[in-house]
Amino acid sequence: DSGVTQTPKHLITATGQRVTLRCSPRSGDLSVYWYQQSLDQGLQFLIQYYNGEERAKGNILERFSAQQFPDLHSELNLSSLELGDSALYFCASSVVKGDTDTQYFGPGTRLTVL
Amino acid sequence: GENVEQHPSTLSVQEGDSAVIKCTYSDSASNYFPWYKQELGKGPQLIIDIRSNVGEKKDQRIAVTLNKTAKHFSLHITETQPEDSAVYFCAASANAGKSTFGDGTTLTVKP
């Protein structure tokens, strides 16, 4: 158990809908990352937040947005969903030690768009 | 930006044999190289990491080596067991920046 929690575990919805995925980082971690993993694919970096501020952006679609709240939990919002958005979505939280940043992953949310 | 290439994409070994997965990176500023194991239906789990001031690190049956000059690092698993079967990801990052991940290696250990 990494200490990172994600809800819900599974989500089934229809095309055109909007969903919100939630992530709670490990206690004390200020950074939250979001990744998308499609079937048999690698980890595609979406976005990083650090202490409430956006720090880095990857291949995140304009239909997707995220935020990190004062209590450090983060939400990933996916709107106008398409079939191709079906994937596993992981968040990771990290602790910076000196000049390295170790990420710990949550169990993921499996999104199915029908 | 950083580019990480991982080979092979699939690897099948007999139980008890060794397995080696290799990664190369492009950014000479990268100084942190973690390895993750992802079992089916679960999130990636950190199994070992190495910093650029170290050439090798070992933890029981797992070891990682780093060649900064050639910009490559490798994961070595000895005495493989069926429970080692999983997808393994390498990653690289510079100065506590975001990590760039390899595409993953699916390791199958046959009993």
Side-chain angles (χ1 to χ4, degrees):
Chain A
D1 184 0
S2 66
V4 178
T5 60
Q6 287 187 250
T7 56
K9 198 175 175 78
H10 301 279
L11 198 49
I12 301 174
T13 188
T15 54
Q17 295 299 304
R18 172 188 169 96
V19 297
T20 297
L21 313 183
R22 183 187 170 105
C23 169
S24 292
R26 297 184 328 151
S27 177
D29 287 358
L30 299 179
S31 232
V32 170
Y33 297 77
W34 285 98
Y35 294 87
Q36 180 191 58
Q37 187 177 43
S38 301
L39 193 63
D40 293 335
Q41 298 283 315
L43 294 160
Q44 298 299 315
F45 168 68
L46 297 178
I47 198 163
Q48 178 201 2
Y49 278 81
Y50 180 83
N51 204 19
E53 301 282 329
E54 181 184 305
R55 175 165 276 196
K57 216 166 188 175
N59 300 322
I60 188 166
L61 300 172
E62 284 192 11
R63 300 183 286 109
F64 296 0
S65 65
Q67 54 184 329
Q68 186 178 28
F69 295 86
D71 67 352
L72 300 177
H73 91 271
S74 178
E75 292 181 356
L76 179 67
N77 299 295
L78 315 176
S79 61
S80 302
L81 285 168
E82 302 175 359
L83 295 176
D85 297 328
S86 294
L88 272 167
Y89 290 85
F90 291 105
C91 82
S93 73
S94 71
V95 55
V96 177
K97 286 183 181 176
D99 59 357
T100 61
D101 187 23
T102 302
Q103 294 182 39
Y104 295 88
F105 283 80
T109 292
R110 180 175 293 280
L111 173 66
T112 303
V113 182
L114 301 176
Chain B
E2 174 69 277
N3 182 47
V4 175
E5 294 190 0
Q6 183 172 345
H7 298 281
S9 56
T10 60
L11 180 59
S12 182
V13 299
Q14 209 63 37
E15 183 177 358
D17 287 350
S18 295
V20 180
I21 303 171
K22 299 181 180 181
C23 289
T24 59
Y25 61 99
S26 61
D27 187 354
S28 57
S30 287
N31 63 341
Y32 178 61
F33 308 92
W35 284 89
Y36 291 86
K37 175 183 180 183
Q38 185 178 22
E39 296 175 337
L40 200 61
K42 296 185 177 180
Q45 178 187 10
L46 179 72
I47 56 171
I48 196 167
D49 57 11
I50 191 168
R51 288 162 176 78
S52 59
N53 59 347
V54 174
E56 183 173 358
K57 184 176 178 181
K58 194 171 180 180
D59 182 5
Q60 299 183 350
R61 297 186 295 108
I62 295 173
V64 57
T65 59
L66 171 65
N67 182 326
K68 284 190 297 183
T69 305
K71 295 207 205 64
H72 68 70
F73 56 112
S74 300
L75 177 72
H76 304 253
I77 306 174
T78 58
E79 300 172 21
T80 53
Q81 301 166 5
E83 51 265 39
D84 293 328
S85 296
V87 179
Y88 291 81
F89 291 96
C90 64
S93 66
N95 301 317
K98 74 171 187 67
S99 293
T100 299
F101 285 82
D103 288 338
T105 296
T106 301
L107 172 65
T108 302
V109 180
K110 299 177 188 174

